[in-house]
Amino acid sequence: MSLLEARKVTRRFGGLTAVSAVDFRLEPGIVASVIGPNGAGKTTFFNLLAGVYEPSEGSLLFQGQPLAGLTTHQIVRRGLARTFQNIRLFGPMSVLENLLIGMHTQMKTSVISQWLNTPAGRAEEKAARVKCLETLDFVGLQGEAHKAANSLPYGHQRLVEIARALASDPKLLLLDEPAAGMNPSETHELTELIGRIRDKGITVLLIEHDIKLVMEISQQVMVLDHGHKISEGTPEHVSKDPKVIEAYLGAPEE
Amino acid sequence: MRGLLLFGLLLPLLNAAVQGSILPACCQVLIYLMLAQGLNLVVGYAGLLHLGYAAFFAVGAFSMAYLTSPQSPFHLQWSFYLALPVSVAFTLLVGALLAWPTLRLRGDYLAIVTMGFGLMLDPLMRNYDDATKAITGMAAIATPFAGINAMIWYYLLLAGVLVCVGLAYRVRHSSLGRALRALREDSVAAEACGISLARTKLQVLTLGAAVAGLAGALYASYIGTLNLAFPFDFNGSIMVLAMVILGGVGSIRGALVGGLALGVLNLICIPKLIDVVQVHVQPGLARALSDSPALWAKIEPWLDLSKAQFLMFGLTLVIMMLLRPEGIIPEQPVSYE
């Protein structure tokens, strides 16, 4: 069974069709990318998956279950976490607290027992902190836990956002342009991190403009242009597809 | 804070030592401190501007009166100990019911709806006075025990304040507190972290109402005779809001200090000043100006400062907000170290 399946998904905004009849299947355990020129509908496709928008037509299945009618937070509970194109951290809060908020869906103790400060509630809170610190180590931010999130350099803020998404223990991680604004060495570290996330068994779907990163890490690439899927397959296949070259560079002159 | 608590514990003794008479006013200040903690949950923690908080205070107070007063239209005359939890529970329920339709509203719109509730309750109860006894009032509201005096009330209300502070502290350090901060900072990102905005807002609005219900029920029992007047109307809502903002939005200590500052100013300092002017300044000036009665006639009406109570209150607020716009004790991020 595919982890994620989009069936003829269409999304219109008034007269504009941002995503048009896109079919997409994502197998578990891989890194896949969605690429395309600006305005191709990539972020809209992500927002459809994350429940920010409902499809105008078509349906989305996650682990065989339809996502229709679910709100964003319910979808997170099902195991689909995301990051944002423009970083959206809880700025004045500490890095650790950002991750603890990411773990919100994992907290099982009732609010009442947290208020009464029961041993079970305290144990859960302690375990959550340990797990968040481990996640910070995993993304390479050990030692930054107690700094305010907005005091970190840009590249590290991106990592905090990824760590926050990982804290929800997702099955599928959506990364919206994770390398945007990163320098080459940061991008290299990010590429390596995405590989390690996949090795943990978490499927990764990313939107990315850095073609080198996409080609290096993805097993599957989907190309969108003007809302349509124009090509799909391995990185090698896609990079040689004339339709893709045309979308990016324009049609050759006669 | 320990110093403040110590002072609070010793205050009645100091008052007795100098044979002062400020305990009743102090009891009212304590009620305000409870309200400020409750409203801080909603306005400070969650960033939801609530302009009708005093209406929940009224619901709690009138529940207590309806359940226990012999003049209540329901003729129940329950004991204090039964009526207190029922009043709190009822206010909580009203809070939840009112929160329900507002969950999808943000910012100014929530403020307008809560303000509407605050403004609506007052005339509604007044117009149905036969049924509500809002103007006629109800006397002999049940107290914890017969013959209770101001000093015992003071300590009881102080305990109530400690309960509210404890609750605020636990919320701040719970996952609900984190969810509220997340929602306040960035609601889109909060939702992407799996936080249900509707559920979180419902919880905090309900909780805020429950605290107001507790404060209201204790207040009704404390003053004994209840009718619909100042602290229950829109001015009351703004007063509590001013305490929270002045103290430092989102800060527990801020709400305490802000409540203390405005409560003491409004209930103790300004009345004392009015007294002093009436007793000492007025006769002195009258003697000094006995030669020119025309001038005295012009000045005299202005010396009744009770007419300028709100002016003094407002001026103090303006000055303090100019000097310290972030509040007296601004909110600090939660430390997990």
Side-chain angles (χ1 to χ4, degrees), chain B residues 11 50-51 65 87 90 96 104 131 151 153 177-178 180 183 221 226 235 246 249-250 252 260 266 279 283 301:
Chain B
L11 186 67
H50 196 305
L51 293 178
S87 302
F90 181 68
R104 295 168 54 175
M151 193 187 286
W153 261 120
R178 275 200 295 268
L180 290 169
L183 156 77
S221 175
L226 192 69
N235 286 334
L246 180 78
V249 175
I252 295 176
L260 214 53
N266 201 40
V279 176

Side-chain angles (χ1 to χ4, degrees), chain B residues 2-311:
Chain B
R2 285 207 188 91
L4 203 60
L5 180 60
L6 194 68
F7 177 71
L9 287 171
L10 293 179
L11 186 67
L13 305 179
L14 293 174
N15 182 60
V18 299
Q19 297 186 326
S21 56
I22 58 164
L23 273 190
C26 289
C27 287
Q28 298 213 24
V29 173
L30 290 175
I31 297 278
Y32 278 120
L33 291 186
M34 296 169 79
L35 287 173
Q37 287 301 334
L39 186 62
N40 189 38
L41 298 176
V42 179
V43 176
Y45 287 18
L48 304 171
L49 185 54
H50 196 305
L51 293 178
Y53 197 60
F56 295 111
F57 182 48
V59 170
F62 274 83
S63 303
M64 185 54 132
Y66 288 143
L67 293 173
T68 66
S69 167
Q71 287 153 13
S72 137
F74 301 107
H75 307 292
L76 290 167
Q77 291 191 259
W78 288 6
S79 86
F80 171 84
Y81 299 98
L82 186 56
L84 184 70
V86 172
S87 302
V88 174
F90 181 68
T91 316
L92 184 147
L93 202 68
V94 173
L97 280 178
L98 189 80
W100 193 253
T102 66
L103 293 179
R104 295 168 54 175
L105 303 178
R106 289 192 54 78
D108 305 346
Y109 301 100
L110 181 79
I112 291 166
V113 170
T114 52
M115 184 170 131
F117 178 64
L119 288 174
M120 169 201 83
L121 194 70
D122 193 77
L124 187 76
M125 287 183 68
R126 281 172 193 281
N127 290 345
Y128 285 105
D129 182 52
D130 289 342
T132 62
K133 305 265 184 186
I135 306 172
T136 327
M138 284 165 281
I141 296 164
T143 53
F145 51 88
I148 188 167
N149 64 23
M151 193 187 286
I152 294 171
W153 261 120
Y154 177 87
Y155 283 114
L156 268 178
L157 292 172
L158 189 65
V161 173
L162 289 179
V163 166
C164 294
V165 170
L167 178 72
Y169 181 84
R170 288 305 317 154
V171 170
R172 182 172 149 84
H173 290 91
S174 70
S175 67
L176 173 64
R178 275 200 295 268
L180 290 169
R181 282 190 290 278
L183 156 77
R184 185 184 65 188
E185 293 298 328
D186 185 336
S187 60
V188 173
E191 234 187 337
C193 289
I195 293 168
S196 160
L197 302 190
R199 192 188 152 99
T200 310
K201 281 191 204 172
L202 182 66
Q203 282 178 339
V204 76
L205 287 168
T206 308
L207 195 62
V211 172
L214 176 67
L218 289 175
Y219 179 73
S221 175
Y222 164 67
I223 62 168
T225 303
L226 192 69
N227 57 6
L228 202 58
F230 161 64
F232 300 124
D233 59 9
F234 185 63
N235 286 334
S237 297
I238 297 301
M239 171 97 167
V240 180
L241 186 65
M243 290 171 174
V244 172
I245 292 172
L246 180 78
V249 175
S251 148
I252 295 176
R253 293 200 257 173
L256 274 179
V257 171
L260 214 53
L262 289 195
V264 168
L265 179 76
N266 201 40
L267 294 166
I268 301 174
C269 292
I270 293 180
K272 276 273 181 272
L273 180 68
I274 294 167
D275 258 13
V276 167
V277 169
Q278 230 154 26
V279 176
H280 301 290
V281 179
Q282 204 174 10
L285 260 181
R287 267 196 303 280
L289 292 174
S290 54
D291 303 343
S292 46
L295 181 62
W296 173 242
K298 274 193 184 133
I299 292 176
E300 202 212 345
W302 293 99
L303 287 178
D304 184 2
L305 289 184
S306 62
K307 288 172 184 159
Q309 190 161 1
F310 276 106
L311 175 76

Side-chain angles (χ1 to χ4, degrees), chain A residues 88 97 114-115 125 146, chain B residues 170 175 178 181 186 336:
Chain A
R88 299 190 90 137
E97 187 167 25
Q114 290 185 46
W115 291 349
E125 178 78 15
H146 301 298
Chain B
R170 288 305 317 154
S175 67
R178 275 200 295 268
R181 282 190 290 278
D186 185 336
Y336 291 90

Side-chain angles (χ1 to χ4, degrees), chain A residues 3-242:
Chain A
L3 181 67
L4 179 78
E5 195 179 341
R7 291 181 186 158
K8 293 253 171 287
V9 166
T10 299
R11 172 68 202 195
R12 294 187 201 90
F13 296 102
L16 176 85
T17 307
V19 172
S20 179
V22 169
D23 276 311
F24 181 67
R25 289 174 81 95
L26 181 61
E27 299 309 319
I30 66 164
V31 176
S33 299
V34 181
I35 63 170
N38 286 327
K42 304 182 297 288
T43 295
T44 304
F45 184 66
F46 256 38
N47 281 333
L48 287 166
L49 297 179
V52 177
Y53 307 133
E54 286 271 309
S56 311
E57 280 164 33
S59 60
L60 290 162
L61 301 174
F62 184 63
Q63 297 186 299
Q65 302 287 315
L67 290 180
L70 295 184
T71 56
T72 302
H73 66 90
Q74 287 167 328
I75 288 174
V76 178
R77 252 168 228 282
R78 298 267 173 114
L80 200 156
R82 73 171 299 181
T83 65
F84 293 90
Q85 192 174 338
N86 43 346
I87 302 175
R88 299 190 90 137
L89 290 176
F90 306 113
M93 302 185 209
S94 72
V95 170
L96 179 59
E97 187 167 25
N98 269 272
L99 264 66
L100 285 166
I101 291 168
M103 273 194 81
H104 188 79
T105 55
Q106 309 289 306
M107 308 298 267
K108 305 293 178 219
T109 343
S110 76
V111 171
I112 304 286
S113 67
Q114 290 185 46
W115 291 349
L116 298 177
N117 210 6
T118 57
R122 261 179 298 176
E124 182 180 52
E125 178 78 15
K126 207 174 161 195
R129 285 184 201 187
V130 171
K131 198 182 156 219
C132 288
L133 290 174
E134 283 169 10
T135 309
L136 273 182
D137 282 355
F138 179 76
V139 300
L141 287 178
Q142 51 275 62
E144 311 276 7
H146 301 298
K147 293 185 182 152
N150 58 10
S151 72
L152 298 187
Y154 186 83
H156 285 179
Q157 291 194 25
R158 285 240 171 252
L159 294 180
V160 174
E161 216 190 13
I162 293 172
R164 186 179 69 188
L166 286 174
S168 74
D169 205 9
K171 298 187 178 68
L172 172 60
L173 180 63
L174 304 178
L175 301 176
D176 197 345
E177 296 198 26
M182 283 190 169
N183 64 36
S185 88
E186 285 172 331
T187 305
H188 176 75
E189 281 168 30
L190 177 73
T191 312
E192 186 256 350
L193 173 64
I194 292 172
R196 284 191 289 127
I197 293 172
R198 177 201 53 211
D199 295 342
K200 278 178 96 166
I202 299 168
T203 313
V204 180
L205 179 61
L206 62 144
I207 293 178
E208 191 45 72
H209 279 300
D210 189 323
I211 295 298
K212 181 169 165 283
L213 187 152
V214 169
M215 295 302 159
E216 221 174 291
I217 193 87
S218 317
Q219 280 90 64
Q220 182 189 346
V221 178
M222 169 164 79
V223 189
L224 291 181
D225 187 29
H226 295 107
H228 294 272
K229 180 167 88 177
I230 57 167
S231 182
E232 190 175 26
T234 60
E236 296 75 30
H237 168 82
V238 165
S239 61
K240 292 190 185 97
D241 190 328

